[in-house]
Amino acid sequence: MDLRAWADRAVAEISAWQREFGDAEPHPDAVVPEARFTAGFDELLGRLRETYPFHHPRYFGQLIKPPHPVAAAGYLAAMLLNPNNHALDGGPATTELEREAVDSLAGMLGIPGALGHLTGSGTVANLESLFVAREIHPGAAVAGSAEAHYTHARTCHLLGVPFVPIPADPAGRMDVAALERQLRARRIGTVVLTAGTTGLGALDPVPEVLELRRRHGFRIHVDAACGGFFALIADDAPDGVAAAPFRALAECDSVVVDPHKHGLQPYGCGAVLFADPSVRRFYRHESPWTYFTSDEPHLGEISLECSRPGAAAAALWLTFRLLPPTPDGLGRLLRASRRAALRWAELLERSPVLSAYQRPELDVLAVVPEAGSMSEIDRRTEAILRGGMADGSAYLAAMEVTAGDLHRRGHRPRADRDRARILRGALLKPEHEHWIGTCHAAVEELARRAAG
């Protein structure tokens, strides 16, 4: 699709609709002279070239990629109107679009009928989930894996809730035996599980923790910000992912997912879903100047955020309309990313200068430069990162690991220091399926230079 043509049509259509209310000249103080705008806009475009090439498969560092042109077109069309999905009168059309899009997310995750809404990010979505957790179990602690995103411990600090880190097993998943020991030792009201950790894409053992819940009676919140869309290919197929953790989401109390990762959306677009719609009671508040146009519930009445972009809802709705969250829709793109990760793991098995930190569960891989000591691994990681960015051949990220982390996974560097950085790649783009050989060759060459 030609995004420029559709952007032009959006501007024309919205402008025509606005003129139906009568021509309204902009206030003279709001008018920017054309020459001044041109100069400022040219400067902006020049500054944007300082961004890394997120659009290209050579970039496979952080969990970042541009939105699909469909999402960009939908966002632009609604942004010209600038609806606010806090109250119905702020976004009457986009509120309905948000409800439909959230229903699609709930169906994808196996929790139809869930209460939910879009958020500015996964961080805000997780904040809302832990806020509800605190209200249901006041005074109780929240437990989460030591490999979970740092936002959970930070959010607990913000909410005044104790956070209990649970050790991870050698694959980066929550250690269920360690969790059970903590459940016996102290009052834990909510356990946070991660379906796709940010660092490794690891899947916590949701079914096993559900068994513990039957004995100990805690809530389960699943942070699926990174991995939630993999529910579309959770079929145990060779190019799919493990089915059990995703099927078990239907029995959990709340789930967070980020459409601005694998859902092809622009930032920020997170979502939170609650299996029990009655948790809306914890959001209850008064706003005598806001909720007056309808007795129907407003999205602001089930959200901690107030102003929320209706454009994000329009973008997600249009994307789902054209690329639905089904195995044959968006699932095809997830499967391509998964095949790319598996192919890279195969190439790493044959590399003399690189090795996989562990086998990927989704589309994220950590890669260890082959070296004899922790300090040399760290030095080579730095050289590969800087070298790839300097010549444009590969844009990677890094993560810090301990000597123990490496030893548990079969790597045996000399522990002349406790911590070192290793490489990390996120193959979010389906195009990586066709580029992974080129990307691997580039990283391998950078590793040879670093070694020699």
Side-chain angles (χ1 to χ4, degrees), residues 2-147:
D2 185 347
L3 180 58
R4 290 170 297 182
W6 289 108
D8 288 344
R9 179 175 173 187
V11 172
E13 292 282 347
I14 297 299
S15 298
W17 175 77
Q18 290 171 333
R19 285 195 297 272
E20 292 178 13
F21 293 88
D23 288 333
E25 293 296 324
H27 191 282
D29 291 339
V31 175
V32 177
E34 191 71 21
R36 186 178 174 192
F37 175 80
T38 299
F41 198 63
D42 287 348
E43 182 181 355
L44 171 64
L45 295 178
R47 295 287 292 272
L48 289 177
R49 281 183 168 270
E50 299 172 16
T51 305
Y52 297 135
F54 300 132
H55 68 286
H56 198 277
R58 289 185 190 276
Y59 182 90
F60 49 113
Q62 305 294 353
L63 296 164
I64 302 174
K65 64 179 178 180
H68 193 282
V70 166
Y75 198 101
L76 172 65
M79 184 186 67
L80 295 170
L81 300 171
N82 202 28
N84 178 356
N85 277 17
H86 180 232
L88 284 169
D89 61 304
T94 50
T95 290
E96 188 57 34
L97 296 178
E98 179 168 339
R99 287 176 175 149
E100 292 176 20
V102 169
D103 284 346
S104 295
L105 287 173
M108 176 186 80
L109 297 171
I111 44 177
L115 178 77
H117 60 85
L118 300 182
T119 65
S121 66
T123 300
V124 174
N126 280 304
L127 168 64
E128 295 210 16
S129 298
L130 295 185
F131 157 72
V132 168
R134 184 191 68 179
E135 299 304 294
I136 291 177
H137 291 298
V142 169
S145 169
E147 296 285 336

Side-chain angles (χ1 to χ4, degrees), residues 143 166 174-183 191 209 212 218:
I166 305 297
M174 180 184 283
D175 185 322
V176 177
L179 171 63
E180 184 160 26
R181 287 193 293 272
Q182 287 294 335
L183 289 167
V191 174
V209 177
L212 287 183
F218 52 85

